[in-house]
Amino acid sequence: MDNPGFVRHGMLRLPPGFRFHPTDEELVVQYLKRKVYSFPLPAYIIPEIDLRIHDPWDLPGGREEVRYFFSFREATYPSRNRSNPGARSGCWKAAGKETQVVASRCNQVVGMKKVLVFYRGKPPTRTDWIMHEYRLTRPEANPRNDAAHSCMVRNGDWVLCRVFRKKRPAKMEAEEDDEQAGEQMMRMGDDGSSCVTELPDVSGDGEEASSSSMSSTP
């Protein structure tokens, strides 16, 4: 039986009653690693997207949903001298240091996770949009890893991104929505700029608990 696809026009479309709730380990091992090495995915459920040309509120999917995307690493970390071809109105800034993603069975580090916050405008103003960026780690130099990876060729420097909006009072959300709508109307082809810079550690930014890749609700 063919592996079903659940992405339509860049948006996740699951059957009624199903939810996509992967853990960090599942995202790295079952999806990102398979994507990087061109292995079949468990389900074609995560679309590819160029984050340079999208504000987080313009990404495919509902604003209240947690959204997942594959993107090339250079799209998240472009050159400082490179102009942005899209209508981006801000930039993603890293909040704190990367954390390790560890495989539960072998207690081995399989990836790294970075939390980023979207800043909008000039001077930059912090928003409620959060991104978790996952990347693979390079295999350690030992005979077992050398043998396992000798025939595996990386298909580009992919990262996997989880994007969501932190909850806050409805009145504040409505005011920000109106402001974002006004900015979109004022943008008439102006090029934006994209950047990722390091910030001091910020505890608890966008951490979410998740339990399983896909579950069916009664």
Side-chain angles (χ1 to χ4, degrees), residues 39-58:
F39 292 159
L41 299 175
Y44 293 95
I45 203 169
I46 302 178
E48 300 174 6
I49 201 164
D50 188 346
L51 291 174
R52 292 172 297 183
I53 61 175
H54 293 281
D55 288 315
W57 48 86
D58 292 332

Side-chain angles (χ1 to χ4, degrees), residues 1-201:
M1 181 177 180
D2 292 337
N3 200 345
F6 298 101
V7 176
R8 298 290 185 275
H9 306 293
M11 298 178 63
L12 180 61
R13 302 293 189 186
L14 291 176
F18 283 83
R19 304 291 183 269
F20 188 56
H21 296 298
T23 63
D24 291 347
E25 178 185 351
E26 289 168 340
L27 285 174
V28 172
V29 176
Q30 299 298 330
Y31 289 91
L32 179 57
K33 186 174 182 179
R34 289 173 176 267
K35 178 71 172 179
V36 168
Y37 291 106
S38 300
F39 292 159
L41 299 175
Y44 293 95
I45 203 169
I46 302 178
E48 300 174 6
I49 201 164
D50 188 346
L51 291 174
R52 292 172 297 183
I53 61 175
H54 293 281
D55 288 315
W57 48 86
D58 292 332
L59 291 168
R63 287 195 176 191
E64 304 307 318
E65 299 176 359
V66 179
R67 288 166 283 181
Y68 300 84
F69 304 101
F70 287 118
S71 186
F72 279 113
R73 188 169 173 80
E74 55 264 30
T76 313
Y77 296 88
S79 170
R80 293 180 181 272
N81 297 324
R82 182 177 181 178
S83 62
N84 197 350
R88 286 281 298 275
S89 62
C91 59
W92 292 99
K93 296 186 179 183
K97 298 179 181 179
E98 286 185 309
T99 58
Q100 296 179 339
V101 178
V102 180
S104 55
R105 290 187 177 182
C106 59
N107 198 33
Q108 179 181 354
V109 177
V110 292
M112 300 297 293
K113 173 184 176 181
K114 176 172 284 191
V115 178
L116 303 101
V117 181
F118 191 77
Y119 282 72
R120 184 184 62 191
K122 294 181 179 180
T125 302
R126 180 180 177 130
T127 71
D128 292 327
W129 288 95
I130 306 296
M131 178 166 66
H132 294 170
E133 182 197 81
Y134 300 87
R135 65 176 178 86
L136 291 183
T137 55
R138 299 291 179 178
E140 297 179 1
N142 63 59
R144 176 177 296 182
N145 284 332
D146 290 345
H149 292 268
S150 60
C151 60
M152 296 170 60
V153 179
R154 295 175 70 99
N155 178 28
D157 196 8
W158 290 98
V159 293
L160 196 159
C161 302
R162 170 165 45 193
V163 179
F164 59 95
R165 188 182 187 185
K166 293 176 64 176
K167 297 290 185 181
R168 63 175 183 168
K171 181 179 179 180
M172 296 179 65
E173 289 186 359
E175 291 175 352
E176 182 174 307
D177 290 344
D178 292 342
E179 185 177 350
Q180 291 170 359
E183 287 182 356
Q184 291 175 4
M185 294 180 63
M186 293 175 62
R187 290 200 298 261
M188 303 296 293
D190 293 338
D191 287 339
S193 61
S194 180
C195 61
V196 173
T197 58
E198 295 293 337
L199 296 180
D201 287 358

